[in-house]
Amino acid sequence: MANERKPMMAANWKMNKLVREAEDYVARLLPRVADLTDDVDVAVFAPFTSLPTVGRMAEDSAIIAGAQNLYFEDSGAYTGEVSAPMIKDVGAGAVIVGHSERRELFGETDETVARKATRALDAGLMPIICVGETKEERDAGGMWDKVSGQVRAVMEALDSPSGDAVVFAYEPIWAIGTGETASPEDAQEAIGQIRGLLGELGGEEFARGVRILYGGSIKPANAADIMAQSDVDGGLVGGASLEADSFAELVEAARDSVSRDRDAS
Ligand code: PEP
């Protein structure tokens, strides 16, 4: 890491866990990460049904409760949708926007992602904005076209955000849930490129302050090498976040990278 940005380790539960399971998980996680949250932001992105539980349990702790999606209107005739004020109302402070599963399976476009990110930010929720390419796009040499287009679409919509208000997550789609991880060097290269573009679009101060996570089959065995990359500010984790103990190990890996940087400086 070697920079001033506080790393974030984020659990994306996707469509998993009943309320009781969510409760057990957070009760197990909290004591394991209590001493780590000064150095690492720990976020749990729960389904809407267990979000109030996670939100309530997060209230008296340093972990952040988050939603996995939102709609860009605040209220009205939008059956099945959930708005930013509703998400805040149950104690959440963050929301994932534009996860590749939303884009690929539910037809979200760069435009809807940009509207959602804007609404989250305006409402005081921290958007975790996901970008990433498919295997076909990567193999055809189109990785940067895809990723830079996604980043531009969102940055054009946001109104000069401060670096600490938004988070980006580079998640190559071929690495999500597949067990195939980008090499630490590939993750660094892509995230460094994204930071460069964010500098052009949002200014150098924004680019220095904004956190960019890596996501795609992170697990305790590969987390340290990924976290050691200078532009990687943490991880967005699916499969390996479903057990509290395994997620806590990832938080420890992020904390260890901070400690190594401190020792080295
Ligand atoms: C994700 O869902 O954002 C993700 C990175 O999943 P996994 O860690 O399972 O690849």
Side-chain angles (χ1 to χ4, degrees):
M1 242 157 297
N3 57 60
E4 298 303 306
R5 299 180 293 274
K6 185 178 182 185
M8 169 181 274
M9 196 51 75
N12 175 13
W13 287 354
K14 311 193 184 192
M15 195 175 73
N16 289 293
K17 297 197 188 298
L18 302 177
V19 171
R20 168 51 63 85
E21 293 167 326
E23 214 163 42
D24 291 348
Y25 179 111
V26 178
R28 193 168 175 91
L29 180 68
L30 286 177
R32 286 211 48 177
V33 301
D35 292 340
L36 309 178
T37 48
D38 281 349
D39 288 329
V40 181
D41 276 347
V42 178
V44 174
F45 291 89
F48 288 126
T49 47
S50 54
L51 188 56
T53 303
V54 178
R56 179 177 43 75
M57 294 176 83
E59 220 166 43
D60 301 323
S61 81
I63 74 163
I64 301 162
Q68 299 171 13
N69 185 26
L70 82 163
Y71 194 57
F72 46 73
E73 299 291 349
D74 281 355
S75 62
Y78 305 103
T79 302
E81 295 297 320
V82 175
S83 69
M86 292 170 174
I87 290 169
K88 287 190 72 177
D89 192 39
V90 294
V95 59
I96 296 175
V97 178
H99 190 280
S100 60
E101 287 152 16
R102 301 281 335 155
R103 295 182 190 252
E104 302 255 303
L105 302 176
F106 300 101
E108 294 205 6
T109 62
D110 282 351
E111 192 207 328
T112 56
V113 170
R115 291 182 76 176
K116 288 179 175 196
T118 306
R119 187 61 207 118
L121 195 57
D122 290 349
L125 285 169
M126 175 184 283
I128 315 295
I129 303 156
C130 300
V131 298
E133 82 286 1
T134 63
K135 178 112 183 73
E136 294 70 35
E137 288 160 344
R138 188 175 189 86
D139 291 347
M143 172 270 181
W144 186 239
D145 258 8
K146 171 76 174 291
V147 170
S148 61
Q150 291 176 326
V151 171
R152 276 180 200 282
V154 137
M155 286 300 291
E156 277 161 15
L158 297 180
D159 187 16
S160 311
S162 73
D164 56 6
V166 296
V167 173
F168 280 82
Y170 169 62
E171 299 208 301
I173 295 169
W174 46 271
I176 296 183
T178 59
E180 203 180 331
T181 320
S183 69
E185 295 74 23
D186 283 349
Q188 164 59 32
E189 189 183 338
I191 290 178
Q193 243 181 320
I194 293 171
R195 195 176 304 285
L197 178 60
L198 289 174
E200 280 171 38
L201 300 173
E204 284 313 310
E205 196 181 326
F206 175 73
R208 263 197 310 278
V210 69
R211 288 176 292 183
I212 310 177
L213 314 182
Y214 168 78
S217 298
I218 297 183
K219 41 188 177 290
N222 60 25
D225 287 344
I226 294 171
M227 292 305 116
Q229 304 302 311
S230 60
D231 278 297
V232 177
D233 300 316
L236 179 56
V237 190
S241 76
L242 289 175
E243 296 293 332
D245 289 338
S246 144
F247 183 56
E249 282 180 47
L250 298 176
V251 178
E252 281 161 11
R255 188 275 318 272
D256 290 347
S257 72
V258 175
S259 311
R260 264 197 309 275
D261 290 345
R262 276 194 198 126
D263 293 346
S265 62

